[in-house]
Amino acid sequence: MTEILHVVSLLLILAGALLCLTAAIGLLRFRDVPTRLHAATKPQVLGLLLIAIAVGIELQSWPVVAFLVPVLLIQFATAPLSAHMVGRQAYRNGTIDRRNLHVDELADAKETPPGAGG
């Protein structure tokens, strides 16, 4: 049974590492901010999740799982938030090609609201 768990954890680490690699390649290869944000958040977070599951399976220890759960929760909370902030700033700077946007929900809010710090 332990050999099967070793193989499963190895496959999960490999899949997670490949997802993290595709995220890094996407950051380098994509041209505009929205596609780079997609590459930076989606596959990277899933890759980290797969690697954390593999570590938990391989070590089979509750303290390790108790350590990995907050790491994953923080990653799940901060990745979308940081992508939103970068995307919003790119929109305000005008570095997003607005012709390629299907829906522009921020078209009416061109000014910074009062008290927003900018």
Side-chain angles (χ1 to χ4, degrees):
M1 183 68 175
T2 59
E3 291 83 16
I4 294 172
L5 290 177
H6 290 307
V7 171
V8 167
S9 65
L10 177 69
L11 291 175
L12 286 173
I13 287 177
L14 181 63
L18 286 175
L19 282 169
C20 291
L21 178 66
T22 58
I25 292 171
L27 282 174
L28 295 174
R29 299 286 297 174
F30 290 145
R31 296 183 311 231
D32 57 344
V33 174
T35 54
R36 284 184 178 176
L37 288 176
H38 178 76
T41 55
K42 305 287 192 273
Q44 186 269 333
V45 171
L46 182 60
L48 178 67
L49 175 67
L50 292 177
I51 291 171
I53 290 171
V55 168
I57 289 173
E58 183 66 30
L59 296 178
Q60 297 178 0
S61 170
W62 285 111
V64 171
V65 172
F67 179 77
L68 290 174
V69 168
V71 169
L72 290 174
L73 290 176
I74 290 170
Q75 183 68 28
F76 285 147
T78 57
L81 180 65
S82 62
H84 172 77
M85 298 296 287
V86 170
R88 185 73 181 246
Q89 188 60 38
Y91 184 86
R92 286 184 180 167
N93 289 342
T95 56
I96 290 180
D97 187 15
R98 294 184 182 170
R99 293 175 289 138
N100 291 333
L101 295 177
H102 296 288
V103 177
D104 190 0
E105 295 176 354
L106 299 175
D108 296 334
K110 295 211 185 251
E111 295 181 13
T112 303

